[in-house]
Amino acid sequence: MLVLLSVAALAGATQHTGNLCQALSQSPIGDKIVYPTFNGTYAADDNAYFSNQEHALTPSCIAQAECTEDVAVFIQTVSHLRRDGDDVQFAVRSGGHTPFAGSANIDGPGATLDLRKLNQTTVQPDRKHVTVGAGATWGDVYSRLDSQNLTVTGGRVAVVGVGGLTLGGGISFFSPRKGLACDNVLSYETVLANGSTVHVNQSNYPDLWRALKGGSNNFGIVTSFDVVSFDSGDIFFAQSYYPLSTASQQLEAFHALASSADYDEYASVIVSFGFSGTQGSFAVSDLAYTTPDLDPPGLRNFTKIPSLMTTARITNLTAATIELGQPSSGQFQQLYITTSFQEDLGLLQSAFDIWNQTVDQVRRVSGIAFTVSFQPLPPIITSKSGPLGGNSLGLSPEENLVNALLSVSWSNASDNDFIEQTVSGFIQSLDEEAKSRDLYNSFKYLNYANKNQDPIGGYGAQIKADLQAVSHKYDPDALFQQGLPGGFKLFT
């Protein structure tokens, strides 16, 4: 209550300024507000985004939260100004890995709330759950847990943030055994639109608890997650490169795994086909097996394909996830776009053909890297959600899906419109092919979605309506719909 009173008083003193950063500077977190002018800390924060599109934005200030109370003060200040008619806006960043502009950053006069100092990983005494700060990266988490032979169902790329991935669903090496990352969250410490802090679990705020499992940033600012932990040691991991001529073999191996009635729950695979202006075209498989088996039975259809190079070994999660994603300085333009379809070998081959034809359109773009990746979403993953309380993703355990991700990197912003048009054309062609075979699925994995896609709409009309009702209940003034423009909103 003391924090609420002090913020109200300070915000009242500045209610006519129309300046969020000025109000924040006069609040109890004033010493944690950094400005762009001659400020190395500000520059370092703004440079630490994955994409140039995000790096290019310049908020009027950055609030570097160090605890949940700091986040509460930030939200109370924003809410007070907006209630007084000042249409201030803000962004929230965890890992800052979503590439499109405005997803986790904002131009002035807006402010960015940086959660990266909320990066603790605390093992609870029972070793059955871990408390993880929303600003941690998965590399932070695994480096803390590996030495204790403990792990969680989390991301596969070390530099990706815990907050965004978990609120968007979260595919993990452990998903065939444990479900998605969101399915393994026991409790969310959350700052609501009124600035209060609540602990959201299946017993308290059950509607909000379920909404946060796929509903992204639409309901509050999650500052920490209590997640299920379990014993785990080293794993098998291999990143292997092949000639593009092995594409049929890769897809046949993928199909054999993804369509198997006895899906090996320890096996995880991403099959990709890439093109870069320097290397030409190639195939790559990222294979994980979550026991220390150098000859994992569930992956033999992949490992028997002769590779040009492989990193196959027994290693820990920290090393595997570092290998899957190197940090980016934000110097390149980046884009993700995604779709899903029913698993089918013929459609997989058509998807590859469409990608290969699209390569001809982009091969002269400066600095181009153009990669399509396929990942299985079989019933062994989606069936885990129900017994754990359910989520908001709309995935049916009766369906055997494939997620397709197109990831693109290039040098010059002058090519942005062309790339956007080209990738949209790729997804449209793939969706049309899937529909022609009666294999289309509306699910668009939120963590891979492009700014022009509607992943929440893809969950289904009833789930979207349920999420809208939760938003009205906990955020009646629509702070997180209008004051926080980044991400995917509920009423579009």
Side-chain angles (χ1 to χ4, degrees):
M1 182 60 70
L2 290 175
V3 171
L4 287 168
L5 289 172
S6 62
V7 171
L10 285 167
T14 59
Q15 61 183 314
H16 300 298
T17 66
N19 189 321
L20 174 57
C21 291
Q22 182 177 345
L24 289 169
S25 292
Q26 297 178 40
S27 78
I29 61 170
D31 60 340
K32 298 167 186 175
I33 308 302
V34 296
Y35 290 88
T37 307
F38 306 114
N39 191 310
T41 301
Y42 177 100
D45 273 13
D46 205 42
N47 286 338
Y49 284 92
F50 173 63
S51 74
N52 185 263
Q53 295 99 310
E54 282 279 80
H55 161 67
L57 300 180
T58 307
S60 290
C61 65
I62 298 172
Q64 297 180 315
E66 297 179 2
C67 60
T68 298
E69 290 77 12
D70 292 346
V71 176
V73 170
F74 182 97
I75 293 301
Q76 290 158 17
T77 305
V78 172
S79 294
H80 187 96
L81 290 170
R82 290 185 63 85
R83 284 196 303 271
D84 281 359
D86 194 337
D87 189 24
V88 296
Q89 292 186 317
F90 65 101
V92 181
R93 73 163 297 175
S94 171
H97 203 262
T98 300
F100 62 83
S103 54
N105 203 9
I106 195 168
D107 261 332
T112 294
L113 174 60
D114 186 348
L115 302 180
R116 287 180 300 155
K117 292 185 177 181
L118 280 67
N119 60 0
Q120 77 281 1
T121 299
T122 304
V123 178
Q124 300 304 324
D126 62 3
R127 287 177 55 91
K128 293 183 179 179
H129 71 285
V130 173
T131 302
V132 181
T137 66
W138 291 107
D140 294 332
V141 176
Y142 298 139
S143 64
R144 175 80 171 84
L145 299 181
D146 279 346
S147 62
Q148 302 186 53
N149 291 319
L150 200 66
T151 198
V152 295
T153 304
R156 298 164 297 178
V157 176
V159 295
V160 167
V162 167
L165 179 126
T166 307
L167 293 172
I171 303 173
S172 171
F173 291 143
F174 296 98
S175 287
R177 291 167 55 188
K178 304 292 183 178
L180 299 172
C182 68
D183 296 324
N184 289 270
V185 180
L186 301 172
S187 177
Y188 303 81
E189 183 179 65
T190 307
V191 177
L192 299 178
N194 64 5
S196 64
T197 300
V198 295
H199 289 86
V200 180
N201 56 46
Q202 195 170 10
S203 299
N204 300 313
Y205 312 98
D207 52 352
L208 182 55
W209 181 75
R210 187 176 178 118
L212 289 169
K213 295 174 179 285
S216 194
N217 64 0
N218 285 292
F219 310 102
I221 308 299
V222 175
T223 55
S224 69
F225 303 81
D226 284 348
V227 298
V228 176
S229 54
F230 50 95
D231 292 335
S232 180
D234 288 347
I235 67 170
F236 170 85
F237 180 77
Q239 187 170 79
S240 304
Y241 287 82
Y242 309 84
L244 193 65
S245 57
T246 65
S248 293
Q249 293 170 273
Q250 305 290 339
L251 295 174
E252 288 165 3
F254 182 99
H255 172 67
L257 174 66
S259 64
S260 173
D262 298 314
Y263 192 106
D264 189 332
E265 67 176 7
Y266 294 93
S268 176
V269 60
I270 307 170
V271 169
S272 302
F273 304 101
F275 171 83
S276 77
T278 56
Q279 296 176 306
S281 296
F282 55 89
V284 59
S285 65
D286 295 300
L287 309 176
Y289 201 77
T290 55
T291 63
D293 187 339
L294 264 177
D295 184 25
L299 298 175
R300 284 175 186 158
N301 284 331
F302 295 96
T303 56
K304 71 182 183 182
I305 304 172
S307 64
L308 299 171
M309 186 276 286
T310 184
T311 64
R313 68 201 188 280
I314 303 300
T315 189
N316 60 32
L317 272 172
T318 302
T321 57
I322 287 173
E323 185 172 322
L324 255 183
Q326 297 300 318
S328 170
S329 62
Q331 65 192 44
F332 289 101
Q333 310 295 312
Q334 308 277 358
L335 181 148
Y336 293 159
I337 193 167
T338 189
T339 193
S340 299
F341 49 82
Q342 299 287 336
E343 201 283 327
D344 177 81
L345 180 57
L347 183 52
L348 283 165
Q349 292 169 332
S350 291
F352 166 78
D353 290 339
I354 295 168
W355 168 83
N356 205 19
Q357 293 161 11
T358 309
V359 166
D360 287 337
Q361 301 175 42
V362 301
R363 64 173 61 248
R364 292 180 178 83
V365 173
S366 178
I368 190 70
F370 192 79
T371 302
V372 64
S373 300
F374 301 112
Q375 302 173 69
L377 279 175
I380 196 172
I381 293 178
T382 54
S383 63
K384 300 293 193 299
S385 174
L388 296 171
N391 60 42
S392 295
L393 300 173
L395 292 166
S396 169
E398 305 301 317
E399 296 180 309
N400 186 14
L401 300 184
V402 173
N403 168 260
L405 162 67
L406 186 66
S407 54
V408 189
S409 175
W410 66 103
S411 298
N412 300 322
S414 59
D415 290 318
N416 287 9
D417 289 346
F418 171 72
I419 293 294
E420 288 279 358
Q421 293 168 7
T422 303
V423 301
S424 295
F426 168 83
I427 291 295
Q428 182 178 352
S429 296
L430 179 51
D431 285 347
E432 288 174 354
E433 182 66 23
K435 290 174 182 178
S436 74
R437 296 169 182 254
D438 198 25
L439 296 171
Y440 174 76
N441 190 278
S442 65
F443 178 71
K444 303 286 189 289
Y445 180 39
L446 186 144
N447 291 334
Y448 293 164
N450 192 25
K451 61 183 179 181
N452 298 321
Q453 296 188 288
D454 180 20
I456 293 175
Y459 298 168
Q462 184 58 58
I463 290 176
K464 185 171 184 176
D466 292 343
L467 294 175
Q468 289 172 336
V470 172
S471 173
H472 284 308
K473 179 178 178 180
Y474 294 98
D475 183 16
D477 295 327
L479 173 66
F480 296 112
Q481 300 305 307
Q482 299 170 12
L484 177 62
F488 299 98
K489 302 291 99 173
L490 297 174
F491 297 91
T492 56

